[in-house]
Amino acid sequence: MTAAADRPVLSIEGLDVTFAIDSGDVHAVKDLTLEVHRGEVLAIVGESGSGKSVTAKSVLGLLPDTAVTRGAVVLQGRDVLTASKSQLRGLRGADVSMVFQEPSTALNPVFTIGWQIAEGLKAHNPKLSKKDIRARVVTALEDVGIPNAAERYDYYPHQFSGGQKQRIVIAMALALGADVIVADEPTTALDVTVQAEILDLLRHLRDERGTAIVLITHNMGVVADLADRVAVMYRGDLVETASVKDLFANPQDEYTQALLAAVPRLGADSRAAAQAPAEAPTSAEATADSAAGPATTRPRTPGAGEGQAAAASAAGSAEAEALVVADGLEIVYPGGIGKPDFTAVSGVDFTVRRGEVFGLVGESGSGKTTIGRAIAGLTTATGGSLSVLGHQMVGMREKAFKPLRKRIGFVFQDPAASFNPQMTIGQCIAEPFAVHRPSMSEAERRAEVRQLLDAVQLPGEYADRYPHELSGGQRQRASLARGIALDPELLIADEPTSALDVSVQAKVLELFRELQARLGFASVFISHDLAVVDMLSDRIGVLYHGELLENGPGEQVLNRPEHDYTRRLIASLPVPDPVAQAERRAEAARLRAAL
């Protein structure tokens, strides 16, 4: 850890933030006092609604006009809360920069990445020549590890991978030489190997440039890997502050203890969700949740065939019916005019039996989502063989496969995007009935939706809410309810918890496990998080560049991996233990060099 200067570069003194909404005032941050020194990483952790992102926006003066603030946020001797708009423009970029959570929305798709980084340089340095600006941008891109930076200056955001776009957003923060970088969930939904590279980059900035970093995250493994100090927030309150070593070794507050207990760990059959803190409501939900009452837990009545599925699972997957069989599966996307075809999946073999969970892991671009979509008939299988529920998907005819679709459920990664924002949650969940059970009456649909909400532990009243009125964890539960609406024999779950807070993730995973055990559906569970896959899966397949490198029982794949890539995935997974994490980081670097 770099020695910090005596005077903090950022000092938050008694910060208090309140928002006025129709249902009453929401006290988002309560009398918060923190400081950050040069060359230090301060992690602010907590669930959605804890106030950590509001705190981050306060540092850059990005709070909306509806926010009522008290206290002070002192940056390089100037109070951000009382600064004028012109003063704020001078501070942003030069003194403090922000790395946003989702680079795809932070980058403008119609401008090149070079132009977007240069825009800030021009605003703060109007006398710089175009040549000097371009040189500075190229240097910033090289510093964050973008290959062929001079050439790719003129590329557009869609021409970069997710990890590269995150690096570009960091380059924007670097270009003006900001003393403080606020990184808001900079690794959320990134593959563990890409995440490790981003963390290495932030660590380099801290150690080599003395940059102070305020890291907003819900990933306790990332905290253990990068942070020097940790501040834990819960519903606007600062409940604990400690060095990273002390916090993980001896957490003092019950909330911190529960947060750490909820972190999934490799090899741990942990039911941490039962110990996890309650899901914090979003600001808009704070009043409505209390009126809605507690979620009921009455079990849903199993549909036809569910008892047989559960029995088959209990009897052992080796004897159960094979629902999905891939044999030399190939999936090739046509390249279009003047471009070569792209082989996304090549020579893949696996079987998914009735009642078992098959975990499919790998980095972005490995082909795991492509395989999931091919099983559901959403992507065309072009070679080899793929049998789904006895139907051959290579050369699939839509008319022949359509009757089988009702036997397959799908849980998408981002329910906010997969739900129609103009429809209520109840209408979204009832969509499969409209397609596959058109004879159902409106009353029957509403009754079924209520049962489904019951099954995923959401109050029946939520059927009349719109997607934006639910938190991320609640939307994911509603997405799961839609996935099981038709009592599927097979459920495809594509990264269903990647962007959730750790305690909310634990609850959703526990719910998934309970439903799978009770209803007996088979599942292809797609994820880049090995700890999550380990928690749920009977067997695990590891994909790399479209090829299946490993396929076997979870204990075998994770404890006795045969391929260096699998070992690298395991070593790249952050663990909530600063000492163990340092050792894993060194091993991951060695394996990365070997590959």
Side-chain angles (χ1 to χ4, degrees):
M1 179 170 61
T2 306
D6 292 335
R7 179 182 176 183
V9 292
L10 171 64
S11 180
I12 301 173
E13 303 167 0
L15 176 64
D16 208 271
V17 182
T18 302
F19 295 96
I21 61 174
D22 291 342
S23 55
D25 290 347
V26 175
H27 207 167
V29 177
K30 306 169 186 175
D31 195 26
L32 178 68
T33 296
L34 287 171
E35 61 181 34
V36 188
H37 293 260
R38 180 174 174 79
E40 179 182 46
V41 177
L42 172 69
I44 303 179
V45 303
E47 299 168 289
S48 296
S50 64
K52 58 185 188 296
S53 289
V54 173
T55 301
K57 290 179 180 178
S58 300
V59 173
L60 283 95
L62 294 176
L63 292 174
D65 294 336
T66 55
V68 178
T69 61
R70 293 195 302 272
V73 177
V74 181
L75 182 68
Q76 300 288 35
R78 174 171 289 169
D79 185 1
V80 174
L81 299 183
T82 60
S84 66
K85 289 185 178 180
S86 62
Q87 289 172 331
L88 285 175
R89 283 195 294 269
L91 287 170
R92 294 173 189 152
D95 293 309
V96 59
S97 292
M98 189 159 188
V99 177
F100 292 94
Q101 177 175 350
E102 178 47 69
S104 293
T105 56
L107 295 171
N108 191 322
V110 301
F111 293 107
T112 66
I113 57 102
W115 186 94
Q116 293 183 63
I117 299 173
E119 185 181 25
L121 277 170
K122 292 174 185 175
H124 288 274
N125 302 276
K127 295 182 180 180
L128 278 179
S129 66
K130 290 184 178 180
K131 181 179 179 181
D132 287 340
I133 288 175
R134 188 180 182 98
R136 285 200 189 186
V137 172
V138 169
T139 298
L141 290 171
E142 289 173 341
D143 287 345
V144 298
I146 297 296
N148 304 317
E151 176 186 345
R152 303 188 85 179
Y153 178 102
D154 296 312
Y155 280 29
Y156 290 86
H158 73 273
Q159 295 174 289
F160 296 87
S161 68
Q164 288 174 329
K165 282 187 281 192
Q166 192 63 275
R167 289 171 180 267
I168 291 165
V169 173
I170 295 174
M172 286 183 171
L174 287 181
L176 292 168
D179 295 314
V180 180
I181 291 179
V182 180
D184 188 4
E185 301 281 9
T187 62
T188 294
L190 292 180
D191 302 327
V192 290
T193 50
V194 179
Q195 174 179 267
E197 293 170 1
I198 297 299
L199 295 178
D200 283 343
L201 174 58
L202 292 173
R203 190 177 296 108
H204 173 79
L205 295 178
R206 176 196 66 185
D207 295 341
E208 300 299 321
R209 296 194 175 194
T211 306
I213 299 173
V214 179
L215 176 68
I216 310 295
T217 186
H218 63 253
N219 189 323
M220 300 305 287
V222 167
V223 173
D225 192 6
L226 184 64
D228 300 308
R229 286 191 303 118
V230 189
V232 184
M233 296 187 71
Y234 179 63
R235 297 193 178 183
D237 288 313
L238 180 65
V239 298
E240 185 167 357
T241 307
S243 71
V244 67
K245 181 179 179 181
D246 290 343
L247 186 98
F248 283 92
N250 188 27
Q252 299 297 305
D253 191 85
E254 288 185 6
Y255 175 74
T256 308
Q257 295 166 8
L259 207 59
L260 290 172
V263 178
R265 293 169 171 81
L266 279 178
D269 186 23
S270 170
R271 295 183 182 270
Q275 307 171 25
E279 181 180 343
T282 60
S283 56
E285 295 177 318
T287 305
D289 277 350
S290 61
T296 55
T297 57
R298 177 173 59 84
R300 180 166 174 248
T301 304
E306 289 174 6
Q308 294 175 344
S313 178
S317 62
E319 300 176 0
E321 173 192 357
L323 300 185
V324 181
V325 180
D327 184 4
L329 173 63
E330 290 190 357
I331 301 174
V332 178
Y333 293 112
I337 299 174
K339 294 183 180 180
D341 292 346
F342 174 70
T343 301
V345 176
S346 176
V348 167
D349 304 332
F350 65 87
T351 300
V352 182
R353 299 188 180 276
R354 186 177 294 278
E356 78 169 353
V357 178
F358 179 56
L360 204 52
V361 301
E363 298 172 288
S364 293
S366 63
K368 56 187 187 295
T369 294
T370 298
I371 289 175
R373 292 178 62 85
I375 293 171
L378 302 175
T379 292
T380 303
T382 54
S385 173
L386 177 63
S387 173
V388 178
L389 303 176
H391 183 89
Q392 180 54 242
M393 303 299 289
V394 177
M396 173 194 72
R397 292 189 176 185
E398 176 66 24
K399 186 176 181 180
F401 183 68
K402 187 176 180 179
L404 297 180
R405 274 214 169 94
K406 63 184 178 182
R407 298 164 61 187
I408 303 173
F410 208 115
V411 181
F412 294 93
Q413 178 174 356
D414 184 1
S418 64
F419 283 154
N420 188 328
Q422 295 181 320
M423 295 169 62
T424 65
I425 288 296
Q427 290 170 330
C428 291
I429 293 174
E431 277 188 294
F433 302 136
V435 176
H436 296 286
R437 297 180 187 172
S439 62
M440 285 181 70
S441 68
E442 182 63 27
E444 288 173 328
R445 287 184 190 177
R446 288 191 66 84
E448 188 70 13
V449 166
R450 290 291 179 119
Q451 278 199 323
L452 287 162
L453 289 173
D454 247 0
V456 299
Q457 300 176 15
L458 286 176
E461 292 84 352
Y462 278 40
D464 297 320
R465 295 191 181 187
Y466 288 88
H468 74 273
E469 296 179 296
L470 272 63
S471 69
Q474 290 167 342
R475 282 195 298 265
Q476 198 57 272
R477 293 185 193 192
S479 181
L480 183 53
R482 183 173 61 180
I484 64 172
L486 297 174
D487 301 327
E489 297 169 58
L490 176 65
L491 185 70
I492 313 298
D494 188 5
E495 299 277 13
T497 63
S498 62
L500 297 180
D501 297 333
V502 62
S503 54
V504 179
Q505 172 184 267
K507 290 179 182 296
V508 172
L509 291 174
E510 185 65 17
L511 174 61
F512 181 95
R513 184 156 61 177
E514 289 174 359
L515 288 171
Q516 196 273 334
R518 176 151 49 88
L519 304 180
F521 53 78
S523 178
V524 177
F525 194 94
I526 298 167
S527 180
H528 62 255
D529 191 328
L530 282 170
V532 167
V533 170
D534 181 35
M535 178 181 177
L536 297 175
S537 304
D538 300 299
R539 290 185 304 108
I540 295 175
V542 180
L543 280 166
Y544 180 63
H545 289 182
E547 297 182 7
L548 196 65
L549 302 183
E550 310 244 10
N551 181 9
E555 187 274 337
Q556 172 189 314
V557 171
L558 298 177
N559 293 334
R560 298 184 300 279
E562 297 179 356
H563 199 281
D564 276 350
Y565 175 70
T566 308
R567 298 186 185 98
R568 180 189 169 196
L569 280 181
I570 294 170
S572 298
L573 181 68
V575 294
D577 181 334
V579 177
Q581 182 55 38
E583 297 172 355
R584 292 171 74 97
R585 190 191 316 133
E587 175 66 5
R590 184 188 69 79
L591 290 167
R592 183 163 62 245
L595 286 171

